[in-house]
Amino acid sequence: MVDAVISMDKIKAFWNSQVHNEEKWALNMKLLRAAGLFAGSIILMRKYGDLMAI
């Protein structure tokens, strides 16, 4: 069997370092909020954009 370049242990360690570190979690939460706002605004404009036109 071929050794995987990225093992599950490395993925779990990366996930835990991002979630359980307060400073990194704060930055990741800001990024998640920004991405959610961006996606939500796209969905809103696609569904109701014609109602907002003059």
Side-chain angles (χ1 to χ4, degrees):
M1 180 181 271
V2 178
D3 290 335
V5 175
I6 300 175
S7 67
M8 286 302 291
D9 291 331
K10 288 182 182 180
I11 294 172
K12 287 179 184 178
F14 176 73
W15 175 262
N16 288 333
S17 72
Q18 294 296 314
V19 172
H20 297 298
N21 187 349
E22 291 293 327
E23 293 174 358
K24 288 183 181 177
W25 178 248
L27 177 66
N28 290 337
M29 203 59 203
K30 287 179 187 177
L31 289 173
L32 285 172
R33 283 186 187 134
L37 183 63
F38 182 72
S41 65
I42 289 174
I43 291 170
L44 180 82
M45 290 304 290
R46 288 184 66 101
K47 288 190 128 324
Y48 304 109
D50 55 343
L51 297 175
M52 295 180 198
I54 294 177

